[in-house]
Amino acid sequence: METLFHKLQSVPHISLDYKISPSPTFSFFNVSFPIKKKRISCNKSNKLRMDSSQGISATTQQKIVILNSNNEKLVGLLHETGSTEIVVLCHGFRSTKNDQVMKNVAAAIEKEGISAFRFDFSGNGESKGSFYFGNYNYEADDLHSVIRYFTNMNRVVPIIIGHSKGGDVVLVYASKYQDIRNVINLSGRYDLKRGIGERLGEDYLERIKQQGFIDIKEGNAGFRVTEESLMERLNTDMHEACLKIDKECRVLTVHGSADEVIPLEDAKEFAKIIPNHKLEIVEGADHCYTKHQSQLITNVMEFIKTVIVKNN
């Protein structure tokens, strides 16, 4: 298989370049994702049946361990097709590489003959290290270690994809390293000061100043928010980060119109400030695209196919 990269042209700044994707007449998955105490999980313990119309089938995946800059082991799964290109996928807050969005998008990419790699950030899933609230720049550095690993193996990473918090991480990465020309932001948050009170309580600043941390319990699990990690999030300015993204870097933002976690307005803010940007609004979709997986995959794959053209 030979691959050809399209030459990407810088486009003029457009304040709101987007279109609305209508709801499909069928749902890719017929499942529900209950939300408790604002914890959002796109995982499902039961095996979900793929829609046969998508033609996506399970395949053998290779587990790969990559050391980050702090010598911590990052664990990921490579959907190997033999292509020179590898698309890297990044999960969201308190999630893993096995998040259904990550698994389904990776499978769709693989179906097109393109390799995909989904991995756990440090402190998440199978990867080593400590879990931290915030941690956007640290996770961007984890992503850098992953991209460098594949580059050293004579592979090319033409596109990075992130969902939810992972959407912010891939944008931070693009602003920081300037070596990626295509970014897909799935439901990322523009204003990182929002959403904290719902999770930590509206008096979170006062409480964390008093004791230095806040312990959060969600379901049968929990996590600790330190003052340092909280301030890292509050000091991560997505507006400033997006202004630093190279104008030739193409950015696709996909967002559900019914997102109950991060409002659609956040996606429109990204569209205002990123010059080479396209916004796809999936009508009726929630944060996890619970009943709109096929529409999500269609939007992602249309973008990928404009970057990578396969000649059989």
PDB file of all heavy atoms in Angstrom, residues 261-279:
ATOM      1  N   VAL A 261     -21.873  17.860  29.364  1.00  0.00           N
ATOM      2  CA  VAL A 261     -20.672  18.077  30.171  1.00  0.00           C
ATOM      3  C   VAL A 261     -19.963  19.363  29.772  1.00  0.00           C
ATOM      4  O   VAL A 261     -19.638  20.208  30.609  1.00  0.00           O
ATOM      5  CB  VAL A 261     -19.705  16.879  30.045  1.00  0.00           C
ATOM      6  CG1 VAL A 261     -18.452  17.107  30.886  1.00  0.00           C
ATOM      7  CG2 VAL A 261     -20.398  15.590  30.452  1.00  0.00           C
ATOM      8  N   ILE A 262     -19.704  19.507  28.482  1.00  0.00           N
ATOM      9  CA  ILE A 262     -19.029  20.687  27.957  1.00  0.00           C
ATOM     10  C   ILE A 262     -19.954  21.327  26.922  1.00  0.00           C
ATOM     11  O   ILE A 262     -20.296  20.686  25.922  1.00  0.00           O
ATOM     12  CB  ILE A 262     -17.677  20.312  27.316  1.00  0.00           C
ATOM     13  CG1 ILE A 262     -16.757  19.673  28.357  1.00  0.00           C
ATOM     14  CG2 ILE A 262     -17.015  21.549  26.706  1.00  0.00           C
ATOM     15  CD1 ILE A 262     -15.475  19.115  27.787  1.00  0.00           C
ATOM     16  N   PRO A 263     -20.383  22.559  27.145  1.00  0.00           N
ATOM     17  CA  PRO A 263     -21.374  23.164  26.252  1.00  0.00           C
ATOM     18  C   PRO A 263     -20.845  23.376  24.844  1.00  0.00           C
ATOM     19  O   PRO A 263     -19.645  23.564  24.627  1.00  0.00           O
ATOM     20  CB  PRO A 263     -21.707  24.494  26.935  1.00  0.00           C
ATOM     21  CG  PRO A 263     -20.525  24.793  27.802  1.00  0.00           C
ATOM     22  CD  PRO A 263     -20.004  23.464  28.255  1.00  0.00           C
ATOM     23  N   LEU A 264     -21.758  23.371  23.885  1.00  0.00           N
ATOM     24  CA  LEU A 264     -21.415  23.575  22.484  1.00  0.00           C
ATOM     25  C   LEU A 264     -20.710  24.907  22.266  1.00  0.00           C
ATOM     26  O   LEU A 264     -19.887  25.049  21.352  1.00  0.00           O
ATOM     27  CB  LEU A 264     -22.694  23.505  21.630  1.00  0.00           C
ATOM     28  CG  LEU A 264     -22.553  23.759  20.132  1.00  0.00           C
ATOM     29  CD1 LEU A 264     -21.587  22.761  19.496  1.00  0.00           C
ATOM     30  CD2 LEU A 264     -23.924  23.694  19.471  1.00  0.00           C
ATOM     31  N   GLU A 265     -21.004  25.883  23.113  1.00  0.00           N
ATOM     32  CA  GLU A 265     -20.370  27.198  22.977  1.00  0.00           C
ATOM     33  C   GLU A 265     -18.853  27.108  23.037  1.00  0.00           C
ATOM     34  O   GLU A 265     -18.143  27.908  22.413  1.00  0.00           O
ATOM     35  CB  GLU A 265     -20.877  28.147  24.069  1.00  0.00           C
ATOM     36  CG  GLU A 265     -22.297  28.640  23.867  1.00  0.00           C
ATOM     37  CD  GLU A 265     -23.352  27.556  24.014  1.00  0.00           C
ATOM     38  OE1 GLU A 265     -23.083  26.547  24.706  1.00  0.00           O
ATOM     39  OE2 GLU A 265     -24.449  27.723  23.440  1.00  0.00           O
ATOM     40  N   ASP A 266     -18.322  26.142  23.788  1.00  0.00           N
ATOM     41  CA  ASP A 266     -16.867  25.973  23.858  1.00  0.00           C
ATOM     42  C   ASP A 266     -16.297  25.661  22.481  1.00  0.00           C
ATOM     43  O   ASP A 266     -15.256  26.196  22.085  1.00  0.00           O
ATOM     44  CB  ASP A 266     -16.508  24.876  24.847  1.00  0.00           C
ATOM     45  CG  ASP A 266     -16.604  25.333  26.292  1.00  0.00           C
ATOM     46  OD1 ASP A 266     -17.578  26.032  26.636  1.00  0.00           O
ATOM     47  OD2 ASP A 266     -15.695  25.027  27.075  1.00  0.00           O
ATOM     48  N   ALA A 267     -16.971  24.782  21.750  1.00  0.00           N
ATOM     49  CA  ALA A 267     -16.506  24.424  20.411  1.00  0.00           C
ATOM     50  C   ALA A 267     -16.514  25.640  19.495  1.00  0.00           C
ATOM     51  O   ALA A 267     -15.605  25.833  18.674  1.00  0.00           O
ATOM     52  CB  ALA A 267     -17.379  23.318  19.838  1.00  0.00           C
ATOM     53  N   LYS A 268     -17.525  26.481  19.621  1.00  0.00           N
ATOM     54  CA  LYS A 268     -17.616  27.670  18.779  1.00  0.00           C
ATOM     55  C   LYS A 268     -16.522  28.675  19.115  1.00  0.00           C
ATOM     56  O   LYS A 268     -16.078  29.429  18.237  1.00  0.00           O
ATOM     57  CB  LYS A 268     -19.004  28.289  18.919  1.00  0.00           C
ATOM     58  CG  LYS A 268     -20.108  27.402  18.341  1.00  0.00           C
ATOM     59  CD  LYS A 268     -21.479  28.040  18.483  1.00  0.00           C
ATOM     60  CE  LYS A 268     -22.555  27.147  17.883  1.00  0.00           C
ATOM     61  NZ  LYS A 268     -23.909  27.740  18.010  1.00  0.00           N
ATOM     62  N   GLU A 269     -16.076  28.684  20.375  1.00  0.00           N
ATOM     63  CA  GLU A 269     -14.957  29.554  20.743  1.00  0.00           C
ATOM     64  C   GLU A 269     -13.671  29.091  20.066  1.00  0.00           C
ATOM     65  O   GLU A 269     -12.866  29.908  19.617  1.00  0.00           O
ATOM     66  CB  GLU A 269     -14.789  29.595  22.270  1.00  0.00           C
ATOM     67  CG  GLU A 269     -15.900  30.328  22.999  1.00  0.00           C
ATOM     68  CD  GLU A 269     -16.022  31.785  22.565  1.00  0.00           C
ATOM     69  OE1 GLU A 269     -14.977  32.445  22.353  1.00  0.00           O
ATOM     70  OE2 GLU A 269     -17.158  32.257  22.424  1.00  0.00           O
ATOM     71  N   PHE A 270     -13.456  27.773  20.000  1.00  0.00           N
ATOM     72  CA  PHE A 270     -12.285  27.263  19.278  1.00  0.00           C
ATOM     73  C   PHE A 270     -12.338  27.717  17.819  1.00  0.00           C
ATOM     74  O   PHE A 270     -11.319  28.099  17.236  1.00  0.00           O
ATOM     75  CB  PHE A 270     -12.236  25.734  19.344  1.00  0.00           C
ATOM     76  CG  PHE A 270     -11.792  25.174  20.667  1.00  0.00           C
ATOM     77  CD1 PHE A 270     -12.567  24.226  21.327  1.00  0.00           C
ATOM     78  CD2 PHE A 270     -10.603  25.567  21.250  1.00  0.00           C
ATOM     79  CE1 PHE A 270     -12.165  23.700  22.545  1.00  0.00           C
ATOM     80  CE2 PHE A 270     -10.182  25.050  22.471  1.00  0.00           C
ATOM     81  CZ  PHE A 270     -10.972  24.108  23.114  1.00  0.00           C
ATOM     82  N   ALA A 271     -13.528  27.665  17.234  1.00  0.00           N
ATOM     83  CA  ALA A 271     -13.679  28.046  15.827  1.00  0.00           C
ATOM     84  C   ALA A 271     -13.345  29.510  15.589  1.00  0.00           C
ATOM     85  O   ALA A 271     -12.890  29.879  14.508  1.00  0.00           O
ATOM     86  CB  ALA A 271     -15.109  27.747  15.369  1.00  0.00           C
ATOM     87  N   LYS A 272     -13.551  30.341  16.593  1.00  0.00           N
ATOM     88  CA  LYS A 272     -13.292  31.769  16.446  1.00  0.00           C
ATOM     89  C   LYS A 272     -11.807  32.107  16.414  1.00  0.00           C
ATOM     90  O   LYS A 272     -11.403  33.070  15.763  1.00  0.00           O
ATOM     91  CB  LYS A 272     -13.945  32.548  17.592  1.00  0.00           C
ATOM     92  CG  LYS A 272     -15.459  32.594  17.558  1.00  0.00           C
ATOM     93  CD  LYS A 272     -15.976  33.347  18.771  1.00  0.00           C
ATOM     94  CE  LYS A 272     -17.499  33.375  18.810  1.00  0.00           C
ATOM     95  NZ  LYS A 272     -17.991  34.070  20.037  1.00  0.00           N
ATOM     96  N   ILE A 273     -10.995  31.324  17.128  1.00  0.00           N
ATOM     97  CA  ILE A 273      -9.602  31.750  17.322  1.00  0.00           C
ATOM     98  C   ILE A 273      -8.563  30.894  16.602  1.00  0.00           C
ATOM     99  O   ILE A 273      -7.428  31.328  16.442  1.00  0.00           O
ATOM    100  CB  ILE A 273      -9.245  31.808  18.822  1.00  0.00           C
ATOM    101  CG1 ILE A 273      -9.398  30.416  19.471  1.00  0.00           C
ATOM    102  CG2 ILE A 273     -10.078  32.836  19.542  1.00  0.00           C
ATOM    103  CD1 ILE A 273      -8.886  30.353  20.886  1.00  0.00           C
ATOM    104  N   ILE A 274      -8.933  29.689  16.166  1.00  0.00           N
ATOM    105  CA  ILE A 274      -7.978  28.851  15.439  1.00  0.00           C
ATOM    106  C   ILE A 274      -8.166  29.122  13.949  1.00  0.00           C
ATOM    107  O   ILE A 274      -9.243  28.875  13.401  1.00  0.00           O
ATOM    108  CB  ILE A 274      -8.193  27.352  15.747  1.00  0.00           C
ATOM    109  CG1 ILE A 274      -8.018  27.080  17.242  1.00  0.00           C
ATOM    110  CG2 ILE A 274      -7.210  26.501  14.939  1.00  0.00           C
ATOM    111  CD1 ILE A 274      -8.339  25.659  17.658  1.00  0.00           C
ATOM    112  N   PRO A 275      -7.161  29.657  13.256  1.00  0.00           N
ATOM    113  CA  PRO A 275      -7.353  30.111  11.878  1.00  0.00           C
ATOM    114  C   PRO A 275      -7.674  29.010  10.880  1.00  0.00           C
ATOM    115  O   PRO A 275      -8.510  29.180  10.016  1.00  0.00           O
ATOM    116  CB  PRO A 275      -6.028  30.801  11.548  1.00  0.00           C
ATOM    117  CG  PRO A 275      -5.041  30.232  12.504  1.00  0.00           C
ATOM    118  CD  PRO A 275      -5.800  29.925  13.756  1.00  0.00           C
ATOM    119  N   ASN A 276      -7.011  27.855  11.006  1.00  0.00           N
ATOM    120  CA  ASN A 276      -7.192  26.759  10.045  1.00  0.00           C
ATOM    121  C   ASN A 276      -8.087  25.709  10.685  1.00  0.00           C
ATOM    122  O   ASN A 276      -7.643  24.629  11.058  1.00  0.00           O
ATOM    123  CB  ASN A 276      -5.829  26.179   9.670  1.00  0.00           C
ATOM    124  CG  ASN A 276      -5.871  25.452   8.355  1.00  0.00           C
ATOM    125  OD1 ASN A 276      -6.933  25.124   7.832  1.00  0.00           O
ATOM    126  ND2 ASN A 276      -4.692  25.184   7.802  1.00  0.00           N
ATOM    127  N   HIS A 277      -9.367  26.046  10.819  1.00  0.00           N
ATOM    128  CA  HIS A 277     -10.264  25.272  11.685  1.00  0.00           C
ATOM    129  C   HIS A 277     -11.569  24.925  10.989  1.00  0.00           C
ATOM    130  O   HIS A 277     -12.106  25.715  10.208  1.00  0.00           O
ATOM    131  CB  HIS A 277     -10.560  26.072  12.949  1.00  0.00           C
ATOM    132  CG  HIS A 277     -11.388  25.337  13.967  1.00  0.00           C
ATOM    133  ND1 HIS A 277     -12.764  25.290  13.923  1.00  0.00           N
ATOM    134  CD2 HIS A 277     -11.018  24.615  15.054  1.00  0.00           C
ATOM    135  CE1 HIS A 277     -13.220  24.573  14.949  1.00  0.00           C
ATOM    136  NE2 HIS A 277     -12.174  24.148  15.638  1.00  0.00           N
ATOM    137  N   LYS A 278     -12.069  23.733  11.290  1.00  0.00           N
ATOM    138  CA  LYS A 278     -13.386  23.313  10.824  1.00  0.00           C
ATOM    139  C   LYS A 278     -14.160  22.764  12.018  1.00  0.00           C
ATOM    140  O   LYS A 278     -13.626  21.982  12.806  1.00  0.00           O
ATOM    141  CB  LYS A 278     -13.265  22.245   9.739  1.00  0.00           C
ATOM    142  CG  LYS A 278     -14.612  21.787   9.169  1.00  0.00           C
ATOM    143  CD  LYS A 278     -14.408  20.732   8.093  1.00  0.00           C
ATOM    144  CE  LYS A 278     -15.745  20.312   7.502  1.00  0.00           C
ATOM    145  NZ  LYS A 278     -15.573  19.256   6.464  1.00  0.00           N
ATOM    146  N   LEU A 279     -15.413  23.160  12.152  1.00  0.00           N
ATOM    147  CA  LEU A 279     -16.266  22.691  13.242  1.00  0.00           C
ATOM    148  C   LEU A 279     -17.400  21.854  12.688  1.00  0.00           C
ATOM    149  O   LEU A 279     -18.128  22.298  11.797  1.00  0.00           O
ATOM    150  CB  LEU A 279     -16.834  23.877  14.026  1.00  0.00           C
ATOM    151  CG  LEU A 279     -17.895  23.558  15.096  1.00  0.00           C
ATOM    152  CD1 LEU A 279     -17.361  22.585  16.129  1.00  0.00           C
ATOM    153  CD2 LEU A 279     -18.383  24.840  15.750  1.00  0.00           C
TER     154      LEU A 279
END
